[in-house]
Amino acid sequence: MNLLKTVEEQTYVLKSIGNDPHFARRAGSMGLIPGTEIRVIRNQVKMPVLLFARDTLIAVNQKDAAGIEVEENV
């Protein structure tokens, strides 16, 4: 599922970053790489998605969030 379909306060594992190479480089420099565990802090319509990953709070805009694939962490 993509990041826009996630539930707040749930933990997920990042599967892929998307097709935008510029965003993929920026995300990678923040530690957002496949296999990273993330917790969705806020996911509201027309607002950036707030993630907590690697002891860092990260805001991802809606366009980039649509390209990020995650799966539930079990």
Side-chain angles (χ1 to χ4, degrees), residues 6-65:
T6 59
V7 178
E8 293 178 354
E9 297 304 322
Q10 294 290 327
T11 304
Y12 299 89
V13 175
L14 190 69
K15 298 310 286 176
S16 68
I17 294 294
N19 296 328
D20 182 1
H22 182 257
F23 176 71
R25 279 192 304 274
R26 286 188 343 209
S29 70
M30 292 183 281
L32 290 179
I33 58 174
T36 302
E37 185 177 287
I38 62 171
R39 183 166 43 104
V40 176
I41 303 299
R42 184 181 70 196
N43 187 3
Q44 298 174 356
V45 177
K46 296 187 181 181
M47 296 290 292
V49 178
L50 291 181
L51 309 173
F52 189 75
R54 299 185 185 263
D55 296 326
T56 304
L57 187 63
I58 302 169
V60 179
N61 68 40
Q62 293 278 312
K63 178 185 172 218
D64 292 330

